[in-house]
Each structure stands twice: as C-alpha cells, then as structure tokens.
Amino acid sequence: MTTNIRVMIVEDHPDYREGVRFALETEQDFELYATFGTAERALQSISETKDKTELPNVILLDLMLPGMSGIEAIPLFKKHTPDTHLLVLSQSEKESDVLRAISMGASGYLLKNASLNTIIDGIRTVMAGGASLDSKIAKYILNSVQKQRPDSASAARLTKREMQVIQLISEGQVKKQISHSLGISPPTVATHVRHIYEKLGVSNAPSAISKAYRTGLLPPE
C-alpha cells in the first residue's frame, strides 16, 4: 500500500496558492495537508497536532510572508517537525536568501516562475532524498562556493564509495537512482548518505553538495 505524500502550502498570495493546490490535488499520490497564508498559523497547526505521524511530509514555503518571514520560520519548522522536508518557493534570487534557506535546513529552493510540473517533481525529489534546486539557483550556488577558498582540512575524509554517492547526488540523482547506478541496495545508499551528512556536518542534500564543492571534495565543473 502506497502512502500519499502529505503537503502543506504556506503562501500568502491566494491565486498562486490555489494554482499550486489544484496541481497537487490532480496527483494521485499527493494529499493536501493544509494551506496557510502565514508562517505563524502553519506553526500553530503543527504544534497542535497530537499525532506526530500525521504531520506533513513536505512544506512548500514562501519566504516573503506577512509577519514572520519564511526564513525566520525555517528553524521553527525544523524544531517542531524535523522529519518534514522544506521546499522553498520564492521570487527571490538573492544570495542571502538562497544560502540562508539552505544552511538552515531547506531541502530545496525553486523560483515561483517554475512550472507546476517542476514543483510536483521537486516534491517527489526531496521525498526521495534528493536536492530540488532551480537551475538558476543551482548554478548560482556552485559559482558562489567556487569563489570561496577551499578548506580541505575542514572536511572529513569520505570513503571511495561515499565519494561516488556524493558525486551522483551532485548530478541530481536520488537514492533509488544511485542504488541502480552503483548496484547497491537502497538501504545501503541511505546508510552512505547518512554517513556523508555526519562527516560533512550537514543535514540535507543541498548543504552536502555546497560543502563538498567548497572544501574541494568535488572539483569545479
């Protein structure tokens, strides 16, 4: 039996929110958990949920919200529902917004001009353990970290297999694809990914990719 992906939308623009909501409801494997116009109301809903197994799997989070901003809300969402993936949907391409969102724990960052199909694919990607990044944002992050001075001493040494895994993650593959590419089981891939995160001191795929480029573990393209 397949469990539906529960999605919460936190977006203050009604038309955009309704468009995304409609797209989600056309997907058989998705379940619309709730929609909110402010981070405060979304956080209140999560804090009042008694059965923690019923919390959303993915939160689509706008950054420019009335009251508490999406950036300010990220650590609070991570505190109250740590197993939920945060996928940012924003108009902002600002360096500070992108890097702060990812460093705080966002599993992906898409621009609002992304197609609804891209957003749907992005949700499935983060649920599969991958990094969902808009192509402009991905290139920006890579350029940004390449400008920083590599500090290989700060990164724990990865095994040969872990290096293969982080390379495939950087190419956009998710755990199931990595399993097929390397001929190993999905649980083994998950173990390697967990070890990579622990050694690099990160909590998600975008941060792992950024750290790997910044410290010279992955060569500049």
Side-chain angles (χ1 to χ4, degrees):
M1 180 178 177
T2 302
T3 302
N4 285 350
I5 300 172
R6 297 185 299 275
V7 183
M8 174 188 285
I9 305 173
V10 185
E11 164 64 54
D12 64 316
H13 292 285
D15 291 342
Y16 186 81
R17 185 172 66 230
E18 285 303 298
V20 175
R21 179 192 65 78
F22 177 79
L24 296 181
E25 291 181 339
T26 63
E27 301 296 321
Q28 293 185 349
D29 58 334
F30 283 11
E31 175 186 334
L32 183 64
Y33 180 89
T35 64
F36 296 101
T38 67
E40 289 90 340
R41 290 185 61 199
L43 286 164
Q44 180 181 0
S45 172
I46 286 174
S47 66
E48 292 176 349
T49 300
K50 302 298 183 183
D51 186 353
K52 300 307 179 184
T53 65
E54 294 300 319
L55 288 171
N57 303 118
V58 176
I59 296 175
L60 300 180
L61 180 65
D62 185 17
L63 295 187
M64 307 303 176
L65 295 167
M68 180 187 297
S69 71
I71 287 287
E72 294 170 323
I74 289 176
L76 296 176
F77 281 121
K78 297 299 293 183
K79 176 183 177 181
H80 291 292
T81 179
D83 294 329
T84 297
H85 300 282
L86 296 173
L87 178 54
V88 171
L89 283 178
S90 177
Q91 292 179 332
S92 175
E93 298 180 50
K94 289 174 56 179
E95 173 183 2
S96 58
D97 289 339
V98 174
L99 297 184
R100 283 182 68 195
I102 290 175
S103 66
M104 287 181 173
S107 297
Y109 197 112
L110 297 177
L111 297 177
K112 281 191 174 181
N113 59 9
S115 69
L116 292 174
N117 284 337
T118 297
I119 294 172
I120 296 298
D121 289 343
I123 293 171
R124 293 196 176 107
T125 296
V126 298
M127 278 297 295
S132 182
L133 298 172
D134 183 275
S135 58
K136 294 180 182 178
I137 298 301
K139 291 178 181 178
Y140 166 74
I141 292 174
L142 177 58
N143 291 336
S144 176
V145 299
Q146 285 177 355
K147 292 177 183 177
Q148 301 181 37
R149 187 172 183 174
D151 181 16
S152 299
S154 70
R157 188 174 298 277
L158 302 184
T159 66
K160 180 179 179 180
R161 181 63 87 187
E162 289 165 354
M163 283 297 301
Q164 292 173 328
V165 172
I166 188 65
Q167 177 65 51
L168 293 175
I169 291 174
S170 74
E171 294 172 5
Q173 292 196 23
V174 298
K175 291 176 184 176
K176 185 176 181 180
Q177 293 171 315
I178 294 172
S179 171
H180 179 74
S181 296
L182 299 180
I184 57 180
S185 70
T188 299
V189 174
T191 298
H192 287 314
V193 170
R194 185 175 71 253
H195 290 165
I196 290 169
Y197 289 178
E198 290 173 352
K199 290 181 179 182
L200 297 183
V202 299
S203 60
N204 56 51
S207 294
I209 295 169
S210 176
K211 184 74 172 285
Y213 278 117
R214 188 171 68 250
T215 58
L217 285 172
L218 290 176
E221 293 182 343

